[in-house]
Amino acid sequence: MLKFSAMSKRSKPGFLNNVYFFSVLTRIYLILIGIAISALQISFLGKELNGHLGYIASTSTLLNNVFVFGVHQAYSYYKKRSPENFKEYYLGSCLVLFLIYCFIALTVFFSLSLDFDLSVITLSVPLFFLSRVPKSRNIILIVVNTLLIAVLICMHLFFHASFRSVVILAVFEKTASLVLYLYKLRVRPRIDRNCLTLLFKLMSFGFFPMMGLVLNSINYRIDVVMLKALTTYSSISVYTTGVNISEQCWAIPDTIRDILLSKLTDGKDKSEVRMVLRVSNTLTLFIQLGLLLLGRFMIYILYGPDYNDSFWVLTISMLGSYGMIYTKMIVAYNVVEGRQKTSLGFMFITAALNIIANYFLIPKIGIFGAALASVISYNISGLMFIVYFNRTTGSHIKDMLFIRKKDIANILNILRSSSKKQDL
C-alpha cells in the first residue's frame, strides 16, 4: 500500500502544477459550462425575456464599475502595509459602503417611477458591488456555475418563464459567489473609526483603477445599452448571444493575462509579454477557425433557427479579438511599469470611438452595426497600445505575432520542470 501511494503521488501529472496550464484548463471548463448555461437560459426565457436579462446584466456591470470605486483593486496595496486584521477592517469598510448604496438605491426606487429593467438594476447594483469586493476564485466560479445549471434545469421542469425568473437569474450568480467566498474566508467585518479611515483611503486610491474599469466596461457593454434605445429586446438577445460566444476567443488569453500580471510583478519583463502575446494569438486563431467551422451548426443546435443572425454577429465580432488581446496584455504591463495614466488615455479614446461608431452604425444596420463598432474600437485600441509598447520597449510587431519553436520548447521545459518538482 505504501509503495502504491508513493507511486500515485509521483505519477500525478506535473503540468497540473503549472499556473498557466491549470488556469487555462479551468477556463476551458468554465467556457463549456457557460455555453450550456446560455443555451438553457435562452431555451427557458425565450428571446424577449432573455433580451431583458442581457440589458440588465450589461447596465448593472457598467454602473457597478462606477460604484465599486476601485476599492477591490486597492486591496493588495494596503494589505501589504496594514496589520494582520486588515481583512476585518477591509470587509467592514466595504459593508459600510454597501449600506450607503442600499440607502441610495431604495431612495431612488421609491422616489421615481422606474420600469422593470431600471427597478432591477437599481436594486441589484449594491449587491453587485458587494459581490465584486472579494476576489472570485476559480473553484468558486466552478461551483456557482454548476449550481446555476441545476437552477436552470429546475426552472425548466417546474416553472414558467416570467419577469420573476429574470430577477432570479440576474442576481443568482453574484449572490452565490458572495456567500461562498465569505463562508470560505471566515472573517467577521470590523466597523469602527479605523474602518471609516480605511474606506476613505481605499476610495482615494481606487479612483484611477475605477476609471479604467468604467472605460473598459464601456467598450464591452455600451453597445447593449444603446441597442436598448434603438432596437428591440429580441434583437438584444440575438446580439448578446453572438457576442458572448465571440468573447470566448479571448477568454483564455484573459486568463493568461491575469497570470502575466502577477509574473510581471515578480520580476518578469517585456520578453514575457511578447511570448504571452504570441501564444495568445495562436490560441485565438485556432479558436476562431473552430468557431467559423462549427459556429453556425452549434448556434442552430443550441439556440434554434431564431438565432441564425447570432452567427453573423459572432463572425464580425471575432475580427476585434486581436486588438483586444494586445490591449489587455499591454495594459497589464503598463500597470506594473506605473503607466496607468497612459493606458487610461488610450482607453478614453477607444470608449469615445465606440460610442460614436455605435451612434452612427446601429440605426443603419442594427445589431451588425453594434458588432462592427466594437471591431473598429477594439482594433484602434490594440494599434495604439502596440505602437506605444514598441516605442517604449524597443520591440517589433514581428516579435508579437504567432508562436515560435522556442516558445514550444520553453513551454515543454516548464511542464517538465513542474513534473520533476512534483516527483521530488
Side-chain angles (χ1 to χ4, degrees):
M1 289 295 292
L2 290 175
K3 291 182 179 180
F4 178 77
S5 299
M7 289 177 62
S8 298
K9 186 175 182 179
R10 284 197 303 270
S11 62
K12 181 179 178 180
F15 55 76
L16 291 179
N17 294 320
N18 179 260
V19 65
Y20 279 122
F21 185 89
F22 186 74
S23 295
V24 168
L25 199 64
T26 302
R27 177 56 59 178
I28 290 172
Y29 174 79
L30 290 172
I31 289 172
L32 295 175
I33 201 171
I35 292 173
I37 288 170
S38 176
L40 286 170
Q41 182 176 288
I42 289 175
S43 174
F44 176 69
L45 292 176
K47 290 175 73 173
E48 189 76 12
L49 290 177
N50 189 65
H52 280 276
L53 182 59
Y55 172 71
I56 289 169
S58 295
T59 308
S60 298
T61 300
L62 187 58
L63 291 175
N64 173 63
N65 286 334
V66 176
F67 290 110
V68 79
F69 222 87
V71 296
H72 62 300
Q73 291 179 303
Y75 176 86
S76 298
Y77 177 83
Y78 281 105
K79 186 176 184 299
K80 293 179 180 179
R81 297 160 174 80
S82 302
E84 294 181 359
N85 56 359
F86 172 76
K87 289 183 179 179
E88 299 174 10
Y89 286 111
Y90 175 74
L91 289 177
S93 300
C94 295
L95 184 58
V96 169
L97 197 54
F98 168 73
L99 294 174
I100 293 172
Y101 288 156
C102 283
F103 175 78
I104 295 173
L106 291 172
T107 301
V108 171
F109 178 77
F110 287 111
S111 301
L112 303 177
S113 298
L114 305 175
D115 60 19
F116 170 77
D117 292 343
L118 291 178
S119 297
V120 177
I121 291 166
T122 300
L123 295 177
S124 62
V125 163
L127 175 63
F128 276 41
F129 156 74
L130 195 61
S131 65
R132 184 70 177 271
V133 169
K135 183 180 179 181
S136 297
R137 311 275 179 175
N138 282 333
I139 186 64
I140 291 178
L141 291 175
I142 290 172
V143 172
V144 169
N145 280 287
T146 304
L147 289 173
L148 184 53
I149 287 280
V151 168
L152 284 165
I153 291 173
C154 289
M155 284 183 165
H156 270 277
L157 294 175
F158 303 112
F159 300 98
H160 296 288
S162 65
F163 283 106
R164 184 180 299 176
S165 307
V166 174
V167 175
I168 293 172
L169 293 174
V171 302
F172 176 82
E173 180 185 354
K174 302 298 182 183
T175 305
S177 298
L178 179 63
V179 170
L180 287 173
Y181 184 87
L182 293 179
Y183 173 79
K184 184 177 180 181
L185 194 62
R186 298 179 185 274
V187 174
R188 290 185 177 182
R190 181 177 297 189
I191 300 176
D192 56 22
R193 183 178 299 178
N194 292 328
C195 155
L196 297 176
T197 301
L198 177 61
L199 176 59
F200 177 77
K201 291 181 179 179
L202 291 171
M203 296 183 70
S204 299
F205 182 93
F207 177 77
F208 284 108
M210 177 269 288
M211 290 298 299
L213 284 173
V214 171
L215 293 172
N216 193 46
S217 62
I218 286 175
N219 284 320
Y220 276 128
R221 309 297 176 187
I222 197 64
D223 47 4
V224 177
V225 176
M226 296 180 73
L227 280 170
K228 160 67 163 51
L230 299 170
T231 60
T232 64
Y233 284 110
S234 295
S235 296
I236 291 175
S237 181
V238 172
Y239 176 77
T240 54
T241 300
V243 168
N244 288 340
I245 297 174
S246 74
E247 287 180 356
Q248 305 315 314
C249 291
W250 63 72
I252 292 176
D254 250 3
T255 303
I256 297 174
R257 184 274 313 268
D258 292 338
I259 303 166
L260 171 64
L261 184 58
S262 65
K263 284 185 170 290
L264 289 172
T265 305
D266 291 336
K268 297 293 183 179
D269 59 10
K270 58 190 178 184
S271 61
E272 183 89 358
V273 179
R274 293 194 293 260
M275 186 272 290
V276 170
L277 281 169
R278 292 194 297 268
V279 173
S280 296
N281 287 339
T282 306
L283 287 173
T284 299
L285 178 62
F286 282 113
I287 294 170
Q288 287 180 332
L289 291 174
L291 288 175
L292 285 175
L293 291 173
L294 304 175
R296 184 191 291 272
F297 175 75
M298 180 179 69
I299 288 172
Y300 181 83
I301 294 298
L302 292 175
Y303 307 110
D306 289 344
Y307 283 80
N308 285 339
D309 282 345
S310 294
F311 175 72
W312 299 111
V313 173
L314 160 67
T315 304
I316 296 170
S317 299
M318 285 195 305
L319 298 176
S321 299
Y322 297 102
M324 186 51 63
I325 288 171
Y326 284 106
T327 295
K328 287 175 175 289
M329 298 298 178
I330 297 173
V331 163
Y333 177 78
N334 285 350
V335 167
V336 176
E337 295 295 313
R339 298 168 180 166
Q340 294 96 321
K341 292 182 180 179
T342 299
S343 295
L344 279 177
F346 290 159
M347 291 170 71
F348 179 82
I349 295 171
T350 304
L353 288 173
N354 197 326
I355 293 172
I356 294 170
N358 274 297
Y359 178 79
F360 285 104
L361 292 174
I362 290 177
K364 293 183 178 180
I365 48 179
I367 58 177
F368 306 117
L372 184 58
S374 296
V375 170
I376 293 170
S377 61
Y378 290 173
N379 285 328
I380 290 177
S381 174
L383 182 61
M384 288 190 296
F385 276 101
I386 288 171
V387 171
Y388 177 77
F389 180 79
N390 287 347
R391 285 183 177 178
T392 55
T393 65
S395 302
H396 194 277
I397 186 63
K398 67 180 181 180
D399 298 324
M400 299 180 285
L401 292 177
F402 298 110
I403 197 167
R404 300 173 175 177
K405 287 184 179 180
K406 66 177 183 180
D407 298 325
I408 298 174
N410 287 336
I411 292 170
L412 292 175
N413 286 334
I414 290 172
L415 298 180
R416 290 192 193 102
S417 64
S418 297
S419 180
K420 290 178 181 178
K421 289 177 181 178
Q422 178 67 17
D423 289 343
L424 292 174

